[in-house]
Amino acid sequence: MTFIEPSFRCDYGFNIHTHGLTVINYNCVILATFPVNIGAGAFIAPGVCLACSGHAIDAQQRSNGIGTSAPITIGDNVWIGANSVVCGGVTIGAGSVIGAGSVVTKDIPSGVVAAGVPCKVIRPVTEEDKINQDDILF
């Protein structure tokens, strides 16, 4: 099951594949000129952009309409924080968390917290990250 909040924008749509419960929050964009695979249990926060497509760096090629495209793979149980960008060719491993405002230009392994511009691994996800049941507000 996939939940998508408005406004959602994509260029093709048929290249977007979800594999179980997926939540895509408000104001997300998926430029899927190549397949985008989103694993089960993925949470994509508001304002996230998944961009398979790019343009040639060379000005002449760019003006001739030459571009690039590469797939994006988001593993099971990944959380991508608000206003992050995931570039084409990137795989985010299962269970990882991407901090808000990150720009993910390279693969992120499974089970880590990663953030920044460019996005880098900060630390592994550990048992200490579990929320104490007494601290739950809702």
Side-chain angles (χ1 to χ4, degrees):
M1 183 175 299
T2 302
F3 295 94
I4 301 174
E5 297 293 342
S7 78
F8 171 76
R9 302 269 194 250
C10 66
D11 48 4
Y12 293 105
F14 63 82
N15 279 329
I16 302 168
H17 309 280
T18 58
H19 303 279
L21 172 67
T22 301
V23 177
I24 300 174
N25 219 315
Y26 298 98
N27 299 320
C28 287
V29 173
I30 301 179
L31 302 177
T33 53
F34 219 89
V36 173
N37 283 286
I38 303 171
F43 285 78
I44 300 174
V48 168
C49 178
L50 307 178
C52 291
S53 58
H55 298 285
I57 301 233
D58 178 79
Q60 184 62 46
Q61 287 182 319
R62 192 170 52 251
S63 68
N64 289 333
I66 296 174
T68 62
S69 186
I72 293 173
T73 302
I74 298 170
D76 292 346
N77 301 307
V78 167
W79 173 22
I80 301 176
N83 296 309
S84 293
V85 175
V86 178
C87 296
V90 165
T91 294
I92 300 173
S96 287
V97 176
I98 305 299
S102 295
V103 177
V104 187
T105 60
K106 296 186 179 179
D107 290 353
I108 301 296
S110 297
V112 299
V113 175
V117 180
C119 189
K120 294 183 180 178
V121 173
I122 296 171
R123 63 179 178 82
V125 175
T126 68
E127 285 294 314
E128 294 174 357
D129 290 312
K130 288 188 176 179
I131 296 173
N132 182 331
Q133 295 295 329
D134 297 332
D135 294 336
I136 295 176
L137 300 176
F138 53 90

